[in-house]
Amino acid sequence: MSKRRACFSILLAATLIATVPVMKILRAQTASAKVASVPGFNSDLCHPPSTDRPWMDRTQTPECRALEAMAQMSWQDKVAFRGSSGKLGLAAPPGQDGPNGIAGGWNGPPQPRQKQVTAFPNVITVAATWDRDLARRFGEAVGEEFAGKGMASCTGPTINLLRTWHWGRSAETFGEDPYLMGEMVVPEITGMQSRKVIAVEKHFAGNNQENTRVDVYPDNAGIDERITQKALNEIYLPNFKKAVEKGHNGAIMCAYNQINGEFACNSPSLLGRLREWGFDGFIEPDAFFAQRSVYAAARAGVDRVSSLEELDSLIQSDKLPASTLDLIVFHTMVPYFRLGIYDAPPTGAPDADVSTPAHIELSKQIASAGAVLLKNTGSVLPIGSRVKTLAVIGDDAGENAQVMETGSAHVFVGKLSPPLEGIRERAGNAVKVVYARGTLGIGPLPAIPANVLKPASGSGDGLSGVYYKNAYWDGEPAITRVDAAIDFPNPPGPDFGGSAPQPGAARGGRGGRGGRGGGGAPRAAWSARWTATLTPP
């Protein structure tokens, strides 16, 4: 090699060595400058910094941070995305039901995450205080307990109106007045989300009764709420609108029921209202039956569909636009960025004791402020020195006291302090306290014994049972027999299917949910009628 050629080779090598680090920097800057695009948001407003992970820059808007993170995701990354991404350094911890606190223990032994929590007064009591500050402090305390257990979302508050006292979930909502509900739920949302816990409002909308809200398998048509636009705008939706516009809640759950012939989770017009109000979070369905189908739900605007893989297939076959998946990822990310959850995820542990003395004291304050005295005939209250004996009557005052409704609002109670205990403690030795249960309460009643029943047909004691292999008492009966009691867990015969519709699954209750969008349909659908003459003893 000539001297000149050798010098040129050395110079070329030196130039390449010096250029490589610069090229790496340029590639990093180019990659970080990418911004994804989604319908309805102007990505030109985003100006990502030249860093390896611009989406972790807290000085930017949540929307821009989400678009920058999405720009680094492949299509398959988006299909697999459930809120967390190790590749992007984003963690979205789990959530739990919790209108009245961390729910659990109603359908089996409580798990560690459901124990050592505060059973706050039912939300109807919070509403009865008419105290926005107490509502805010309640939200803060609930948020602190969720975060303390390592969770970042609470499926609640429930803000469906109490339209009839027959509604079994009246305790977990704020009553019958949309204005009061809106005024109380906004500070609760604000308090909860200040602790980096997403408030998932439910159930949007018109979910005002449990009976037939889902109906039975296989149709699961559910109740169809016929509501005028005037009533929707003035009664059923103002509280949700206020939660969005003033509370800035991070998520909303759509309901099982239909409204004017359209399923809530399949209604583009209903769910579209949320985006018109400025809602920036994700929409999730109320368990298995609310979604109806991935196609219908995704088309309407549901983000937490049960299968993003099925959604991918629908997009690949041109049945849905590709922007559907982008919007789902975008709506999921934004509230986690906005509330700072991605920046500092909760560090609590499932087995932590999160029921603090301050939370217990707050519970007492809410219970006291929410107590309502309807009548005080003869000014007997407050009790003075003239009273020597107190009679406490009622199943709910003693050891069988009902603390919570069952289902998704039930909070496991580690130590129950029933009213009778508190009254005796307060009365001391100066007043004699006597107690009578009075009734059998609201728990399950014993089955009626067969010997007081005479079947309408057939011999012996009991009830005439007529069974059908469908859910609607249609066609010819499959079985006719005399049953001693209506008290059995299994189908009436082997040819009725392998398993009985469980009370929660068949009627759309919370049993068997298995997570949002999870759970399964019961394997058998059947119906029966029983007829007998009762002779009370």
Side-chain angles (χ1 to χ4, degrees):
M1 182 183 295
S2 69
K3 191 173 185 179
R4 178 180 297 179
R5 187 176 178 186
C7 290
F8 176 76
S9 298
I10 293 170
L11 178 62
L12 178 60
T15 302
L16 287 172
I17 292 170
T19 303
V20 169
V22 176
M23 291 174 67
K24 285 184 176 179
I25 293 172
L26 288 174
R27 278 200 299 270
Q29 290 177 341
T30 302
S32 67
K34 289 181 180 178
V35 178
S37 62
V38 295
F41 186 80
N42 183 6
S43 58
D44 293 339
L45 299 173
C46 301
H47 304 287
S50 297
T51 60
D52 286 341
R53 291 188 169 186
W55 56 89
M56 299 309 291
D57 184 339
R58 304 184 190 187
T59 64
Q60 302 183 89
T61 67
E63 293 82 4
C64 287
R65 296 178 71 182
L67 293 178
E68 290 157 16
M70 290 172 60
Q72 306 303 314
M73 300 173 73
S74 67
W75 182 261
Q76 286 308 312
D77 288 338
K78 295 175 184 176
V79 171
F81 186 69
R82 298 295 187 275
S84 296
S85 170
K87 169 185 172 181
L88 300 174
L90 305 177
Q96 181 93 5
D97 278 310
N100 302 322
I102 297 175
W106 64 276
N107 61 347
Q111 302 303 307
R113 187 168 266 137
Q114 301 163 345
K115 295 192 293 186
Q116 295 180 299
V117 300
T118 305
F120 293 95
N122 291 309
V123 171
I124 193 73
T125 307
V126 179
T129 69
W130 294 72
D131 189 326
R132 297 180 184 89
D133 185 62
L134 269 181
R136 175 188 58 78
R137 292 168 58 199
F138 170 65
E140 290 173 348
V142 171
E144 287 166 6
E145 298 210 356
F146 269 77
K149 289 284 190 177
M151 295 187 287
S153 66
C154 167
T155 309
T158 299
I159 54 174
N160 295 114
L161 293 174
L162 177 55
R163 302 294 283 156
T164 167
W165 62 269
H166 295 90
W167 189 33
R169 301 178 69 169
S170 58
E172 71 180 85
T173 190
F174 292 82
E176 69 277 16
D177 184 83
Y179 178 77
L180 173 63
M181 183 175 293
E183 291 298 301
M184 297 299 285
V185 78
V186 166
E188 181 186 339
I189 294 170
T190 303
M192 185 185 300
Q193 296 195 156
S194 72
R195 299 312 190 251
K196 299 182 180 181
V197 173
I198 293 174
V200 187
E201 259 57 58
K202 61 182 185 181
H203 314 76
F204 189 73
N207 184 167
N208 303 97
Q209 66 179 58
E210 297 302 282
N211 185 34
T212 69
R213 68 171 178 157
V214 179
D215 208 37
V216 291
Y217 179 79
D219 296 56
N220 301 108
I223 191 170
D224 184 3
E225 307 280 0
R226 296 289 167 158
I227 308 173
T228 66
Q229 290 301 309
K230 178 179 174 65
L232 270 175
N233 291 326
E234 295 182 1
I235 299 174
Y236 292 90
L237 300 184
N239 39 320
F240 283 99
K241 185 177 182 182
K242 193 169 287 187
V244 169
E245 293 183 337
K246 294 187 176 182
H248 306 293
N249 56 297
I252 279 183
M253 175 191 286
C254 54
Y256 284 117
N257 53 276
Q258 300 178 61
I259 297 179
N260 299 327
E262 196 171 31
F263 286 99
C265 294
N266 295 168
S267 173
S269 59
L270 179 67
L271 301 187
R273 291 175 186 249
L274 296 170
R275 303 302 175 191
E276 292 171 5
W277 298 336
F279 177 62
D280 66 357
F282 56 86
I283 302 170
E284 65 178 44
D286 189 351
F288 179 81
F289 295 124
Q291 176 182 266
R292 309 299 299 176
S293 77
V294 170
Y295 171 77
R299 182 173 173 271
V302 173
D303 301 294
R304 293 284 178 96
V305 293
S306 62
S307 172
L308 289 178
E309 290 76 12
E310 184 177 342
L311 178 69
D312 180 31
S313 177
L314 290 166
I315 293 173
Q316 299 299 338
S317 59
D318 293 327
K319 293 179 181 178
L320 287 171
S323 60
T324 306
L325 180 59
D326 288 326
L327 281 169
I328 285 174
V329 176
F330 181 71
H331 292 150
T332 300
M333 283 187 175
V334 166
Y336 286 97
F337 276 123
R338 175 162 59 83
L339 298 180
I341 298 169
Y342 280 150
D343 298 316
T347 57
D351 59 353
D353 185 349
V354 295
S355 183
T356 67
H359 293 173
I360 295 172
E361 180 58 31
L362 174 63
S363 295
K364 293 178 181 179
Q365 291 178 29
I366 294 172
S368 176
V372 179
L373 177 62
L374 298 180
K375 207 171 194 180
N376 191 16
T377 304
S379 298
V380 296
L381 297 176
I383 293 173
S385 58
R386 294 176 301 152
V387 175
K388 302 300 181 185
T389 304
L390 278 176
V392 180
I393 304 169
D395 179 72
D396 208 30
E399 61 183 15
N400 297 310
Q402 298 294 317
V403 182
M404 296 280 173
E405 62 189 283
T406 188
S408 59
H410 180 79
V411 180
F412 175 73
V413 178
K415 180 187 181 300
L416 175 64
S417 299
L420 179 61
E421 179 183 298
I423 291 170
R424 281 177 170 159
E425 182 180 339
R426 182 72 179 270
N429 297 325
V431 178
K432 180 182 179 182
V433 178
V434 295
Y435 171 69
R437 186 178 181 189
T439 73
L440 292 179
I442 63 173
L445 296 174
I448 300 174
N451 62 2
V452 299
L453 295 168
K454 290 299 177 186
S457 60
S459 59
D461 297 332
L463 309 96
S464 298
V466 182
Y467 296 81
Y468 301 84
K469 288 187 177 180
N470 57 71
Y472 307 105
W473 307 280
D474 288 339
E476 291 295 319
I479 297 176
T480 299
R481 71 186 188 190
V482 174
D483 289 315
I486 308 174
D487 185 24
F488 52 91
N490 298 312
D495 56 343
F496 274 71
S499 65
Q502 296 303 306
R507 282 284 170 184
R510 312 298 271 233
R513 176 188 308 186
R516 298 294 171 201
R523 291 168 54 196
W526 56 277
S527 55
R529 286 194 177 96
W530 290 274
T531 311
T533 299
L534 167 67
T535 303

